[in-house]
Amino acid sequence: MTPLVQSIPTARPNRANADATLQPALLFWVVAGVVFLLTASNGEPARISSGYYIALIAPGLILVRGAGRLLRAAESPPNRPIFYALLLFAAANLASTIITPNEETIYALLERCILPLLVYFSMVGLVLSMRDVIVLVVAIALGALLMFARGLLAYYAEFGIPDLETILWSRYNVARIAGFERATVGNVTHMGSYAVMTLPILIIALVSMVRSNALTSLFSLTIAAGLFNLIIAGSRAGMVVMVLMIVAIISSLASRRTLVLIVSVVAFLGAATFTLATATGDSTLLNRFAPEAAGKTDGSVSERIDSMIIGWNVFLDNVLFGVGPEMSPYYNIYSIPHQSILHQLSELGLFGGLAFVWLNLVILYAFRNAIIAAAAPDGSSFRLLWLIGPAGWLIVGLISGINFNMSMALVWVGMAHAMLALSGATVVPDTTERPSLSLWGLYRGLRGT
């Protein structure tokens, strides 16, 4: 019989998980359900927003697992730097909210900090088998497939089977693309962040972890649907970062010769496409993705630059604590500054902006280390699996702006906190015995006794 997952090196137990005891099945399946809920929920309709259920489920998980035990896990390597960076960012949001208290800032504090931190605490310090890891990836695949399928169905309902011209320009037809936006993540630009958070994880699992034909089909289908959604959305930042993440995956999981070959082929095809389009006068792709190269002005770029200038001026007028989390739309005609650091400087002030910069540095440094570790001859791709999504989300934000949630649906910030918590989990062989599902065994397993 073909094994479900490949045998790959597992992570070393950290100090908080020295006993390496698997969680009881019931607790694990609740965690998997939370991962699915965070990935699938877009707040349409509002009653199925993930934030409402996180407010009920996460405190229960924290209570039965033991708050003290989870705090020790969060303060132990490799979780400590990320945990403190998340707390620092939350403290900055709290300070800005106290200075500018109103309904918007209080809800923003809840949605971008308090509920996501509950997600983090509910999942930190887990002990997982490799089969558990695959189940969590399946939860992401199913949630993302649901999101992508909604998008494709809504797009087909409005545009039918599109030609290339329709696909390239439909995002600018505000009235007709609205159905696709409501069915997915509320805005075509936001799809770039969502795709970058979900698809690289599935690519890593597909190429390095699974052997099951069913899982291969599921992951491949979700990746294909996600890429098509990304193309429909036309998020240039999302596309660029997706390519960067694929290069990171190849550089860590493939041989150096394969990496050089793939990069060379991609570079050649890109240069050939650009040259051919320029030589033949076919400027369709250039007009859409690089209008300056086709001799046209890119209005979206100028608007983004204007939004950044406004954001900087808002920061200068409110240096210490900003205007408050999620208050940008009241000060910026473009809703937010389309650059994440300027966005946080304008909303949270100097302390909050620096806290956000530190959060970026900590996560991107951990991501860099995970790439190096996975590239080692005996390295594990487990940390890379869970860090690549949050890293991609932050990089997209640096290029085009960051979005945390859709009302009470914790689409990006919730997924990021879950992935960051899972990146510090201990992975043990599949042969490790799981605690009994009897009531006494469940209680003992949850309490770690």
Side-chain angles (χ1 to χ4, degrees):
M1 180 181 295
T2 302
L4 179 68
V5 299
Q6 297 182 17
S7 177
I8 64 174
T10 55
R12 294 180 179 177
N14 61 45
R15 185 172 44 135
N17 287 330
D19 57 349
T21 301
L22 288 175
Q23 282 64 225
L26 178 60
L27 183 146
F28 170 74
W29 285 107
V30 171
V31 169
V34 170
V35 170
F36 169 80
L37 184 64
L38 290 168
T39 311
S41 172
N42 69 342
E44 291 285 345
R47 65 178 177 274
I48 64 169
S49 295
S50 55
Y52 296 121
Y53 300 95
I54 294 303
L56 296 174
I57 298 172
L61 287 173
I62 294 170
L63 179 64
V64 296
R65 293 188 65 203
R69 179 186 180 190
L70 300 184
L71 183 59
R72 289 192 298 274
E75 291 181 327
S76 300
N79 298 309
R80 183 187 297 130
I82 291 175
F83 170 60
Y84 285 141
L86 292 173
L87 285 185
L88 186 64
F89 182 62
N93 278 266
L94 175 61
S96 182
T97 301
I98 292 174
I99 297 299
T100 55
N102 57 56
E103 184 176 348
E104 285 82 1
T105 58
I106 293 172
Y107 271 112
L109 178 67
L110 175 70
E111 294 161 355
R112 70 160 66 171
C113 295
I114 297 176
L115 290 177
L117 280 174
L118 288 178
V119 171
Y120 182 86
F121 272 113
S122 69
M123 297 187 185
V124 73
L126 288 173
V127 181
L128 305 172
S129 69
M130 276 309 303
R131 283 191 174 85
D132 292 340
V133 173
I134 294 301
V135 169
L136 293 174
V137 178
V138 168
I140 290 176
L142 292 175
L145 184 59
L146 181 60
M147 184 78 77
F148 295 141
R150 286 198 300 257
L152 294 178
L153 290 174
Y155 191 82
Y156 176 78
E158 183 60 45
F159 294 95
I161 299 178
D163 56 17
L164 177 60
E165 188 81 10
T166 301
I167 293 173
L168 289 178
W169 297 101
S170 57
R171 66 167 280 159
Y172 296 107
N173 191 328
V174 177
R176 298 184 69 187
I177 201 66
F180 172 82
E181 293 179 320
R182 285 193 302 270
T184 54
V185 286
N187 183 289
V188 286
T189 303
H190 296 169
M191 178 54 74
S193 296
Y194 182 85
V196 165
M197 287 198 73
T198 55
L199 298 186
I201 292 175
L202 303 182
I203 294 172
I204 292 174
L206 182 63
V207 300
S208 69
M209 294 184 179
V210 302
R211 289 180 176 174
S212 162
N213 291 334
L215 293 184
T216 299
S217 299
L218 172 63
F219 293 171
S220 299
L221 177 62
T222 306
I223 292 168
L227 291 176
F228 197 27
N229 272 261
L230 181 58
I231 292 171
I232 289 171
S235 170
R236 284 174 291 189
M239 293 177 182
V240 169
V241 176
M242 183 67 71
V243 172
L244 292 177
M245 295 300 102
I246 291 174
V247 170
I249 294 170
I250 294 171
S251 66
S252 59
L253 302 182
S255 67
R256 292 296 178 266
R257 179 178 296 180
T258 303
L259 173 62
V260 172
L261 176 62
I262 292 175
V263 171
S264 300
V265 170
V266 170
F268 171 78
L269 292 176
T273 300
F274 182 86
T275 303
L276 182 63
T278 304
T280 60
D282 182 4
S283 58
T284 301
L285 290 174
L286 296 180
N287 285 339
R288 171 63 185 87
F289 294 108
E292 299 291 348
K296 296 191 175 185
T297 301
D298 191 343
S300 65
V301 171
S302 62
E303 289 178 359
R304 289 172 185 271
I305 293 174
D306 287 343
S307 76
M308 296 180 205
I309 294 173
I310 294 172
W312 177 251
N313 289 329
V314 171
F315 164 64
L316 293 180
D317 292 336
N318 304 270
V319 173
L320 292 181
F321 297 101
V323 296
E326 299 299 332
M327 292 297 288
S328 286
Y330 294 95
Y331 295 84
N332 198 312
I333 61 174
Y334 300 103
S335 182
I336 64 170
H338 288 277
Q339 203 284 331
S340 59
I341 295 175
L342 286 174
H343 182 183
Q344 298 312 299
L345 281 170
S346 65
E347 291 191 346
L348 306 179
L350 183 61
F351 172 55
L354 292 176
F356 183 73
V357 169
W358 181 248
L359 178 64
N360 277 258
L361 291 175
V362 167
I363 293 176
L364 293 178
Y365 182 73
F367 173 57
R368 172 255 189 194
N369 289 343
I371 295 174
I372 295 173
D378 60 344
S380 168
S381 58
F382 174 77
R383 290 262 297 164
L384 178 62
L385 179 76
W386 297 117
L387 287 171
I388 194 168
W393 173 56
L394 292 175
I395 294 173
V396 170
L398 294 173
I399 298 174
S400 65
I402 196 166
N403 36 279
F404 292 94
N405 56 283
M406 293 176 60
S407 184
M408 280 294 285
L410 310 179
V411 181
W412 300 276
V413 70
M415 285 196 295
H417 279 70
M419 293 171 185
L420 292 172
L422 292 171
S423 72
T426 297
V427 184
V428 297
D430 287 325
T431 54
T432 302
E433 184 179 357
R434 191 178 287 281
S436 167
L437 278 180
S438 67
L439 291 179
W440 177 244
L442 176 62
Y443 174 78
R444 288 179 54 119
L446 292 174
R447 303 303 298 181
T449 57

